[in-house]
Amino acid sequence: MPRILTYNVHRCLGTDGRLSPARIADVIAAYEPDVVALQELDVGRARTGGIDQALAIARALGMQVHFHASLKVLEEEYGNAILTHRPSHLVKAEALPGWAGKPGLEPRGALWAEVQIGGAGVQVINTHLGLRRHERLAQIEALLGPRWLGHRACREPVILVGDLNATPRSRAYLRLASQLWDAQARLPKPRATFPSRLPFLRIDHVFVSRSIRVLRVETVRTPLARVASDHLPLLVEFQVAHGQVNKPGFAHAQE
C-alpha cells in the first residue's frame, strides 16, 4: 500500500548539533514512502554549507523533487519540498498570506503536486504555517480558498500535509478539520511529533479527503529519528477508493 511521510527536517540540523542531509535521508529510506513532504529545507545557504538539501535528499532516495522557496535572500533559499519516485508534476507553488498586524513575520508558502498512485492522480499539498494564531488562520483560509483546495483542478483524492504549528484544539486545525479528515482522528492515542526527543505536541499533520482510506499511522521514533531533527516524521499508509476519485472539489470531513 502507498505511504506518505511528512517531516520537518529543521534544515537537517540534528538535536546533537550535527548537520546531515544524509542522516535525514536514512531516516526516511527505512520506511520506504512513496511520497515525502519536507519542511524547513535550506538551498544554497551559507549557514548550511551552500548545499541544495532538497536535491541531496531526493538523490539519496532516488526520487524526483519539487521545491518551493518560502524565503529568498539573493541566491539563498529556504522552504518546502515534495519528493516522490512515482510520476508527478508540480501544479502550484506560491506564498501564503501573513498577518497584516505583523508584517515582519517569516514568509510562509505551500506547494501542490499531482502524484500518480494506484491509477489515480492524487493531489498532494505540503505547507508550513506560521507561529502566530492570526497568521495561521489567514493561511488556512487561503488554503481552503479558490487558489488551493477550492480550485477546480483540486479533485479527489486530496492529501494536505505539513507542519501546521497548530494543535488539535486550535482554531486553524478545527477550521481545516471541518473540510478534510485528520488521518489520526480515529486513533485511540494520536501520535505526537514535537520535540523529537520527548514528543508531546501534535503539530505535524496529514489530512485526507473522503476517497483516501487511512490504513495505518505511525510516528517514526527510531533512535536516528530522535536525533536527526527536532521533529519526528509522521507516516501514513493509505488506499485510494477508486469509486470516488476525480470528483470535483474536495470532500468535507467524514462524520
Side-chain angles (χ1 to χ4, degrees), residues 6 37 39 125-128 160-165 203-206:
T6 182
Q39 304 89 39
I125 298 174
N126 177 26
T127 191
H128 184 195
L160 186 147
V161 302
D163 176 0
L164 304 188
N165 278 311
I203 57 176
D204 299 283
H205 300 282
V206 175

Side-chain angles (χ1 to χ4, degrees), residues 22 43 72 106 122 195 222:
V43 170
K72 290 185 180 182
E106 178 183 316
V122 180
T222 61

Side-chain angles (χ1 to χ4, degrees), residues 6-14 19-21 24 37-43 45 47-48 51-54 57 67-71 77-83 106-109 111 126-131 162-165 194 203-204 228-231:
T6 182
Y7 195 5
N8 181 325
V9 299
H10 192 233
R11 66 180 187 273
C12 302
L13 181 66
L19 188 71
S20 177
I24 293 291
L38 302 178
Q39 304 89 39
E40 291 196 18
L41 290 159
D42 274 5
V43 170
R45 299 196 75 177
R47 69 177 184 179
T48 46
I51 295 169
D52 185 331
Q53 294 184 338
I57 295 168
F67 174 76
H68 173 248
S70 303
L71 175 65
E77 297 180 318
Y78 172 76
N80 313 310
I82 295 173
L83 285 58
E106 178 183 316
R108 303 288 175 165
L111 69 160
N126 177 26
T127 191
H128 184 195
L129 302 187
L131 297 173
D163 176 0
L164 304 188
N165 278 311
F194 182 83
I203 57 176
D204 299 283
S229 171
D230 62 345
H231 287 242

Side-chain angles (χ1 to χ4, degrees), residues 114-158:
E114 180 175 307
V115 184
Q116 295 298 317
I117 298 175
V122 180
Q123 312 305 318
V124 178
I125 298 174
N126 177 26
T127 191
H128 184 195
L129 302 187
L131 297 173
R132 304 292 186 92
R133 178 171 60 95
H134 291 289
E135 61 173 327
R136 284 196 301 270
L137 283 170
Q139 289 154 6
I140 286 292
E141 290 303 326
L143 288 168
L144 291 171
R147 296 190 63 81
W148 295 92
L149 290 165
H151 194 282
R152 63 182 180 274
C154 197
R155 304 162 72 89
E156 294 268 355
V158 179

